[in-house]
Amino acid sequence: MSIAPLRERPAWRALERHYTEIRDVHLRDLFADDPARGERLAAEGASLYLDYSKNRVTDETLRLLVQLAEESGLPERTEAMFRGDRINVSENRSVLHVALRLPKGKSLVVDGRDVVQDVHGVLDRMAKFADRVRSGEWKGHTGKPIANVVNIGIGGSDLGPVMAYEALRHYSRRDLTFRFVSNVDSADFVEATGDLSADETLFVVASKTFTTLETMTNARTAREWALAALDDESAIAKHFVAVSTNAEAVAAFGIDPANMFGFWDWVGGRYSLASAIGLSTMIAVGPDRFRELLAGFHALDEHFRETPLERNLPALHGLLCVWYASFFGAETVGVMPYSHYLKRLPAYLQQLTMESNGKQVTLDGRPVDYETGAVFWGEPGTNGQHSFFQLLHQGTRLIPVDLIGFAKPLEPIRDHHDLLMSNVFAQAEALAFGRSEDEVRSEEVDEQIVPHRVFEGNRPTNVLLAEQLTPHTLGALVAFYEHSVFTQGTVWEIDSFDQWGVELGKVLAQRIVPELESEAVPELAHDSSTNALIRRYRAMR
Ligand code: F6P
C-alpha cells in the first residue's frame, strides 16, 4: 500500500479545515448538546475503561482521525508488526515485543524460527531461577540465601524493572530487598548497596547490548564491591547473573553463560519489560504473577490487533495525541497515575514515548513538516495537584492530561481511596468545565479578584479506569501506551523503534573522558565554551 505524505492525505486536509471550525468550541457546549456524551465517548478492552469524552472532539473529528489512521496504513502496519516484518527500517529489524507476550502453544515463525518457543524457553529458565532465589535454594558464596537483589541497568534495562517493581510491590516478597542502580554517578551505587551484605546480594546486570557505559561501569564497581567482601573470584558465579542479547560480552565480563538470560534484537530496550529484562520483577512477584503480567500485555495486544479503530483504546489515544500535537500545537502531555504504586510510570513513559517518537525525519528520510512526539511528563496524584496543576488549570498552554485510577484500593484504610478517586473525577471535571465569571461573582467575591478566580476550562483529559492494580492490569496499561505510541508514529510516518538521537552525546563523552582523566594538561580542540568548562572542571576538582 502506498502512503501519501501526511499533509497530502485527504483526512489530514479535512482535519486542517475541521480544526479551524472546532478550535474554539467549548467542552461545556459539547456536553450540553449531547447528554449521552460521557457514556458514548468511552471504550473498553483488556480490563481498561477509557473515558475520552472530555477531549475537544466531535463525532466528525473522531471520524476524520480514524480515516487518517486508515489512510496512514495503521491496520496494515499493525499486521506487519505482529507478523515480524522489519518495520524498524533504520536498524533493519523486526519489532516483536508482542511476541514476548504470546501464550505457550502459539507459534510465530520469523526467519524460519518459532520465536514463541524461544521466548518460553527463556521464561521457563527465568522461572526456575526465580523460584530458586525465592525459596532460598540458590545460595550465595558463603552458603547464605539471597536477601537482596540489585538490578544494574539503564534506560529500558532499568525503567521497566524499577517501574514494574514499584507498581507490583503489593505483590512482592517483603523479606527480599530490591534496589536499582542506573546512574554512572557513583552515589547511585553507594546509596543502593551501602546497607547490604555482599554474601546475601545478587546482582542482575541487565543490558541488551552489554556495552552501555553506565551499566558496565556500575557492573565493574559491583564486582569489586563483591570481591572486596568475598575475596574469591569463584563467588562471582553465585552473585552475578546477566540479562542480555550479547553472550560474548557477558562471558568476557566473567559471568557464566549458564547464568545468562537472553533475548533478541527484535526487542527494543524500551519495549523489553516482558523479556528477560523483567527478571528482577519475576523474582520480586514470582513466576505466576509475572505470567499474569504477560497475559495482561497480551490481552491488550489482542485488543489492539482486533478491535475496530472506533473502539480501539490505544488507537484512539494515539490519534488524540496526534490531534493535540499536530493541530493544537500542544507540546506536552501529562500522565498522572492516581496510584502511588505507579509513581515511576511517568518516568517509564517518558522513555517509551519520547525515545520512540522524538524524530524529525520520515521512514524514508525526508524531514517532517509537522510536529511529532510531545514531551510526556507527570507525577502521581494527588501530589501534582498541590504543585504544577495550577498551570494546567489557569496557565496559557494547552496540556492534555491522562488521569489513571483504580476502583479498588490495594491497601484499603479508612476512606483514603474514595478521597483519592474523588480527585480524579474532580480534576477532569474542573479542567473541562472550569468556572465562569458569573459563577465566581455569584460567590460575592471582590470584583478585583474575579479574573484571578476564573477557570476558563476546555482543557482535555482522558480518564483511564481499571478495577484494581494487578499484574494483569499493569501489563495492559503498558501495552496501551506502547500501541498508542505506535499509532502516533504510524500517522507521522516515523521510525518509532530506533534511537539514533542518543548517539552523539555518547560519542562526544567518550572523546572527553581522556581529557578529564589525563595527568598532563590536554590540548583541547572543542568550541571555546566546552574548552573553558573542561579547564574550569580540572581546576576546581
Ligand atoms: O542510550 C539509549 C539506550 O540504548 C536505550 O535505548 C536503552 O534502553 C538503554 O540505552 C540501555 O541499553 P542497554 O540495555 O543496551 O544497556
Side-chain angles (χ1 to χ4, degrees):
M1 168 183 184
S2 97
I3 313 266
L6 182 52
R7 286 185 177 283
E8 290 168 26
R9 288 172 217 157
W12 183 271
R13 294 202 162 147
L15 279 163
E16 281 178 324
R17 285 189 297 276
H18 176 70
Y19 168 69
T20 60
E21 290 157 15
I22 195 183
R23 67 179 162 210
D24 297 323
V25 175
H26 203 289
L27 280 166
R28 273 183 215 133
D29 299 319
L30 293 174
F31 273 84
D33 292 349
D34 176 8
R37 183 178 168 98
E39 270 155 40
R40 232 168 33 78
L41 300 193
E44 247 175 299
S47 72
L48 302 180
Y49 175 85
L50 172 68
D51 172 2
Y52 60 97
S53 63
K54 295 193 188 80
N55 280 288
R56 290 169 66 171
V57 294
T58 61
D59 289 351
E60 177 66 357
T61 325
L62 292 166
R63 191 187 66 73
L64 289 172
L65 285 171
V66 166
Q67 188 188 325
L68 178 66
E70 281 160 356
E71 288 173 11
S72 305
L74 181 63
E76 294 78 6
R77 200 166 153 78
T78 302
E79 274 318 296
M81 174 169 74
F82 278 83
R83 225 179 13 236
D85 290 7
R86 293 172 185 257
I87 62 165
N88 176 357
V89 287
S90 80
E91 294 180 324
N92 190 27
R93 285 180 183 164
S94 306
V95 174
L96 271 178
H97 44 279
V98 291
L100 299 169
R101 294 94 81 130
L102 281 171
K104 225 177 211 164
K106 294 252 173 167
S107 147
L108 177 63
V109 179
V110 179
D111 296 335
R113 272 195 85 83
D114 186 351
V115 297
V116 185
Q117 278 191 18
D118 292 345
V119 162
H120 283 276
V122 175
L123 276 173
D124 290 345
R125 280 188 59 229
M126 287 165 63
K128 250 189 213 142
F129 177 74
D131 278 337
R132 288 183 72 194
V133 173
R134 287 164 63 85
S135 68
E137 185 196 327
W138 179 279
K139 300 273 191 297
H141 185 60
T142 62
K144 287 192 182 168
I146 296 300
N148 318 304
V149 177
V150 181
N151 188 82
I152 298 180
I154 197 163
S157 302
D158 166 69
L159 288 163
V162 70
M163 182 279 289
Y165 168 70
E166 292 293 348
L168 300 179
R169 208 162 173 173
H170 173 84
Y171 305 91
S172 75
R173 277 280 294 272
R174 297 307 174 116
D175 55 343
L176 294 177
T177 297
F178 289 84
R179 301 275 164 79
F180 299 85
V181 176
S182 57
N183 202 327
V184 76
D185 181 345
S186 48
D188 199 8
F189 182 83
V190 167
E191 292 299 336
T193 54
D195 58 346
L196 307 183
S197 300
D199 61 348
E200 296 176 317
T201 301
L202 175 76
F203 289 98
V204 177
V205 185
S207 174
K208 180 175 169 181
T209 55
F210 230 73
T211 58
T212 305
L213 174 97
E214 292 87 341
T215 302
M216 290 301 103
T217 305
N218 280 320
R220 279 185 210 108
T221 299
R223 201 171 193 281
E224 279 174 21
W225 180 85
L227 287 178
L230 302 170
D231 200 23
D232 183 350
E233 277 286 332
S234 71
I236 298 302
K238 296 283 176 207
H239 292 274
F240 282 78
V241 298
V243 178
S244 187
T245 57
N246 187 347
E248 270 175 33
V250 169
F253 180 83
I255 295 179
D256 186 346
N259 295 341
M260 168 177 157
F261 300 89
F263 58 113
W264 306 272
D265 74 354
W266 41 259
V267 183
R270 55 194 175 274
Y271 297 90
S272 64
L273 170 58
S275 75
I277 289 289
L279 182 63
S280 56
T281 313
M282 190 192 264
I283 298 173
V285 302
D288 290 346
R289 296 280 192 203
F290 194 81
R291 287 185 199 280
E292 286 173 27
L293 174 78
L294 298 183
F297 270 108
H298 180 63
L300 203 294
D301 293 342
E302 294 279 284
H303 168 89
F304 179 58
R305 194 176 185 181
E306 287 166 6
T307 310
L309 294 173
E310 293 78 2
R311 286 182 280 116
N312 190 311
L313 274 72
L316 286 167
H317 185 266
L319 290 168
L320 288 165
C321 288
V322 169
W323 176 232
Y324 293 118
S326 293
F327 292 91
F328 283 81
E331 289 180 340
T332 83
V333 175
V335 182
M336 316 298 159
Y338 279 67
S339 159
H340 207 70
Y341 284 121
L342 291 180
K343 64 183 177 201
R344 295 306 304 273
L345 183 70
Y348 175 84
L349 292 181
Q350 286 191 314
Q351 186 192 14
L352 177 64
T353 56
M354 290 156 74
E355 208 174 56
S356 296
N357 284 343
K359 307 290 161 64
Q360 60 187 5
V361 296
T362 59
L363 288 164
D364 57 5
R366 282 174 289 116
V368 296
D369 53 359
Y370 39 83
E371 298 296 342
T372 60
V375 174
F376 275 69
W377 59 282
E379 275 288 315
T382 59
N383 294 1
Q385 289 174 212
H386 297 272
S387 61
F388 53 77
F389 267 56
Q390 166 64 38
L391 186 146
L392 300 183
H393 285 284
Q394 288 187 315
T396 53
R397 296 165 199 279
L398 181 78
I399 302 181
V401 175
D402 291 352
L403 303 165
I404 303 168
F406 299 92
K408 296 182 186 160
L410 285 170
E411 314 293 354
I413 306 179
R414 294 182 37 239
D415 58 349
H416 280 256
H417 199 66
D418 285 341
L419 295 179
L420 178 71
M421 290 305 294
S422 67
N423 278 280
V424 175
F425 307 134
Q427 288 301 324
E429 195 176 22
L431 286 163
F433 304 111
R435 165 158 292 203
S436 68
E437 265 181 34
D438 290 346
E439 283 169 311
V440 175
R441 280 203 186 92
S442 71
E443 290 173 356
E444 291 173 25
V445 167
D446 182 346
E447 191 55 30
Q448 276 189 330
I449 306 298
V450 170
H452 297 276
R453 300 196 51 173
V454 167
F455 289 65
E456 70 183 16
N458 215 14
R459 296 170 188 232
T461 55
N462 289 300
V463 176
L464 259 176
L465 279 183
E467 190 177 308
Q468 194 164 40
L469 178 56
T470 61
H472 189 282
T473 327
L474 180 69
L477 187 61
V478 173
F480 166 82
Y481 279 102
E482 286 176 348
H483 298 314
S484 166
V485 162
F486 177 76
T487 300
Q488 296 165 53
T490 299
V491 172
W492 287 322
E493 221 188 329
I494 54 179
D495 191 334
S496 300
F497 301 104
D498 63 11
Q499 56 283 316
W500 298 106
V502 300
E503 294 304 323
L504 179 60
K506 289 186 195 175
V507 171
L508 295 186
Q510 287 293 4
R511 216 176 279 167
I512 292 173
V513 170
E515 297 171 344
L516 304 187
E517 291 185 343
S518 76
E519 287 290 326
V521 177
E523 293 252 340
L524 297 176
H526 304 274
D527 60 278
S528 60
S529 159
T530 309
N531 289 344
L533 287 166
I534 292 172
R535 281 193 209 105
R536 180 60 66 130
Y537 169 77
R538 288 182 59 101
M540 278 168 83
R541 69 182 166 183

